[in-house]
Amino acid sequence: MVHLARYDVHALARHAQVHAAPVDWQNFRSGAGVGLANFRHEKIWRLPSLLLDADPPGQDAPRRVLREILAPPALRRLSTVWHTVAEDLVDTVLAKGPRFDAFTALAKAFPLRVFPDAVGLGPENRDDLLPYGNIAFNAFGPRNDLVLTDADRAAGLSAWANAPCVRESLDKDGFGARIRAAADRGDITPEQAPLVVRSLLTAGVDTTVHGLSAALYAFATHPDQWQRLRERPELARVAFDEAVRWLSPVQTFFRTATADVTVAGTLIKEGTKILMFLGSANRDPERWHDPDRFDLGPDPSGHVGFGMGIHQCVGQHVARLEAEALLTALARRVERIELAGRPERHLNNTLRSWAALPVRVRRAG
Ligand code: OVM
């Protein structure tokens, strides 16, 4: 553990501790926010999330509702549609030539094509989804230039994120409508429903866009692993988890100590923020053999890229389905994928994110 004096936070980087802290939710709580800011005494930029910035018993009902709506059986119907959309998208991209920006053309385009529809959002303001997520993930970090640059937009986008959550603007049949139905049944309150929808908009787009980018970057730089996926496309889900382990699109989250606790021999005082370096834990040589290698062989489960414990990512099955659809569509059509220029990163306080991923492909047979 290391004390970061500038922010007075304790940071955990080993897998053992980054895994243990969120499991011990009684001592390491989320209710004071899971970013650097302590909601007990700092101003917040939007209402706290019911799922993220919350502890039991408050988070239990909203999480139970969303977990069911996003569980694998509930996604089965979407699977067929998403595979077809991915195949169409890949065909369209490949028809334009062998060189393209895989970030824009695939990693960004695919989630934006399928996810807002699945939520049941209307056609308006879909362009705001990525900027809103970018702001939300910046807000977990220090108030640096990345935060200040977008300060003007934050309030407007924050208001917008609640707006599409009214009943009238949600499709009858999407995740949003099912959240509404849960409120009608009394599983959550009517006041909670729009905030649960907001969680989908905040956590459901940037995360998958940059997770898919991570997978595409991994394959573009590891031709042997691409070959392996082509031979066994059923590895697509494992490949996605391995990419999430290897690059950790969500790099950090915080907790707050709610008692004096000792970690790795150091006392953490009640009220202190604890920073968990997910990306570091996912490459800890004490947990992983040859952790810097992207390799479809070893089992990546146990990585903390989706978090751990009672707050573990509720949308992870959605993300895996998106990855499976896109990667298998690409693997069937593309024999080789390689970098055709320097990948460009997009800076964010929490996300390991991308601006461009230029690739060149050779089409299969
Ligand atoms: C939320 C949420 C959940 C997970 C991640 C996240 C911005 C947000 O419930 O709003 O990142």
Side-chain angles (χ1 to χ4, degrees):
M1 191 165 65
V2 56
H3 183 241
L4 304 179
R6 177 164 174 189
Y7 302 110
D8 188 25
V9 304
H10 289 287
L12 309 175
R14 286 281 177 202
H15 184 276
Q17 274 110 33
V18 173
H19 189 283
V23 169
D24 180 8
W25 59 267
Q26 290 91 341
N27 283 315
F28 300 102
R29 299 239 171 191
S30 296
V34 298
L36 176 63
N38 190 325
F39 291 2
R40 291 185 198 170
H41 27 77
E42 283 174 66
K43 197 168 115 287
I44 53 177
W45 73 285
R46 58 170 201 168
L47 286 175
S49 162
L50 298 175
L51 289 125
L52 189 72
D53 313 303
D55 299 295
Q59 84 142 344
D60 296 344
R63 182 164 288 267
R64 203 178 306 123
V65 163
L66 202 53
R67 186 186 295 128
E68 194 138 316
I69 292 170
L70 304 180
L75 302 180
R76 229 169 269 146
R77 204 177 40 88
L78 287 174
S79 171
T80 323
V81 183
W82 287 9
H83 275 89
T84 308
V85 174
E87 283 159 19
D88 285 353
L89 177 67
V90 172
D91 283 337
T92 308
V93 170
L94 293 180
K96 289 185 202 150
R99 290 170 73 117
F100 54 89
D101 173 7
F103 170 72
T104 308
L106 297 177
K108 187 166 136 180
F110 183 61
L112 285 177
R113 182 108 26 121
V114 294
F115 187 73
D117 283 345
V119 175
L121 287 186
E124 321 80 42
N125 301 102
R126 290 186 174 205
D127 291 348
D128 287 336
L129 284 165
L130 277 170
Y132 180 67
N134 187 54
I135 286 172
F137 281 97
N138 274 329
F140 295 123
R143 277 184 63 79
N144 55 13
D145 284 352
L146 294 174
V147 173
L148 298 177
T149 305
D150 282 332
D152 307 346
R153 291 192 78 187
L157 283 172
S158 188
W160 161 79
N162 292 317
C165 310
V166 299
R167 183 184 300 270
E168 292 70 43
S169 59
L170 287 168
D171 262 14
K172 279 195 292 297
D173 192 29
F175 299 145
R178 275 173 247 172
I179 292 167
R180 284 286 170 184
D184 292 343
R185 285 195 304 273
D187 294 348
I188 51 174
T189 68
E191 293 75 33
Q192 288 179 318
L195 273 176
V196 177
V197 178
R198 193 193 70 177
S199 284
L200 291 178
L201 307 187
T202 318
V205 188
D206 297 60
T207 48
T208 39
V209 166
H210 298 296
L212 294 173
S213 305
L216 294 170
Y217 172 75
F219 281 121
T221 52
H222 295 75
D224 54 331
Q225 300 307 306
W226 183 247
Q227 222 34 60
R228 208 161 167 179
L229 178 69
R230 284 188 27 87
E231 280 155 25
R232 294 188 52 202
E234 67 276 13
L235 290 175
R237 280 166 180 262
V238 172
F240 180 63
D241 270 79
E242 171 64 355
V244 171
R245 180 198 69 79
W246 190 59
L247 282 188
S248 301
V250 178
Q251 287 272 300
T252 48
F253 266 129
F254 294 75
R255 293 290 187 266
T256 310
T258 42
D260 291 353
V261 273
T262 303
V263 174
T266 303
L267 176 73
I268 302 178
K269 280 236 182 304
E270 193 276 329
T272 310
K273 282 275 173 169
I274 295 113
L275 165 54
M276 303 172 292
F277 282 118
L278 309 178
S280 167
N282 281 340
R283 292 201 185 200
D284 182 353
E286 289 178 6
R287 171 61 179 78
W288 312 96
H289 174 71
D290 208 357
D292 295 335
R293 245 183 81 79
F294 172 74
D295 186 345
L296 305 196
D299 178 6
S301 64
H303 74 73
V304 291
F306 288 122
M308 199 40 71
I310 60 169
H311 282 277
Q312 204 187 30
C313 178
V314 73
Q316 57 185 285
H317 307 292
V318 181
R320 289 198 189 97
L321 179 57
E322 288 181 43
E324 177 191 72
L326 187 64
L327 292 176
T328 51
L330 201 61
R332 282 205 199 94
R333 289 162 177 77
V334 165
E335 195 174 283
R336 268 188 72 83
I337 177 166
E338 60 196 8
L339 293 181
R342 222 162 57 92
E344 281 168 45
R345 293 279 301 277
H346 168 79
L347 290 183
N348 181 281
N349 280 338
T350 303
L351 298 172
R352 182 190 279 270
S353 47
W354 301 82
L357 189 55
V359 297
R360 183 185 316 108
V361 299
R362 172 149 21 99
R363 295 179 71 154

